[in-house]
Amino acid sequence: MNAKQRKWLALGGALLLLASLKFSLIYRWYGERQAVKPSPLACVAGQPSCDLPGGGVWRFASPPQNGKPFEIRLEGVAAREAPQVEFNMADMDMGFNRYTFVRDGADWKAVVTLPLCVSGSRDWLAALSLDGKRYLLPFSTR
């Protein structure tokens, strides 16, 4: 085997190693994400706010709309790490729609833009991740 072949062999081995590392990280992330099933929140549909377990409130600061930005606030939530929210529709994959809340004074906020659904559905499920726990909040857009 000459030097050029060894070089290509080393490059190929490095690419395979990188690909296997990336696959294992994605597999681990997906497994951890699926391990925590969300608990449904008892919220009134159409109301702009919802009480969270352990204190705090989820509030739509502006009405949720498809295709237009709107703001969600978490008020009175003392989280150790930044909360995240992921949006989907029941029995319909809507792609990657995850947002991380940012501090806004004592509260948290996220500015969200949801895609339009080709079926015309406006019923969404928000999965809120808050300090290792997940909560499911159904809501509808205008």
Side-chain angles (χ1 to χ4, degrees):
M1 185 180 301
N2 63 30
K4 189 174 183 179
Q5 289 173 327
R6 282 194 298 272
K7 187 183 201 181
W8 281 109
L9 183 62
L11 180 62
L15 288 174
L16 283 174
L17 182 63
L18 182 63
S20 64
L21 177 63
K22 185 176 181 178
F23 176 78
S24 66
L25 288 173
I26 290 171
Y27 184 76
R28 180 176 160 210
W29 169 82
Y30 185 76
E32 288 173 356
R33 186 172 152 250
Q34 297 302 317
V36 181
K37 297 290 181 195
S39 302
L41 293 174
C43 300
V44 178
Q47 293 297 314
S49 65
C50 180
D51 293 334
L52 298 172
V57 174
W58 162 292
R59 185 171 64 84
F60 290 106
S62 52
Q65 299 181 45
N66 289 343
K68 295 184 180 177
F70 61 94
E71 186 177 308
I72 301 171
R73 299 187 65 81
L74 297 178
E75 299 170 345
V77 172
R80 292 185 304 271
E81 56 189 49
Q84 294 185 336
V85 63
E86 186 173 339
F87 297 93
N88 271 306
M89 290 187 166
D91 302 321
M92 195 178 314
D93 182 14
M94 294 303 292
F96 190 76
N97 292 300
R98 180 181 303 148
Y99 293 85
T100 301
F101 286 84
V102 294
R103 276 271 182 215
D104 187 31
D107 299 328
W108 298 89
K109 78 171 184 176
V111 177
V112 174
T113 303
L114 295 175
L116 296 171
C117 179
V118 295
S119 73
S121 177
R122 296 180 178 272
D123 298 324
W124 288 89
L125 298 170
L128 174 66
S129 297
L130 186 60
D131 284 340
K133 296 179 182 161
R134 287 174 49 97
Y135 304 102
L136 193 63
L137 172 76
F139 70 96
S140 295
T141 57
R142 296 196 292 168

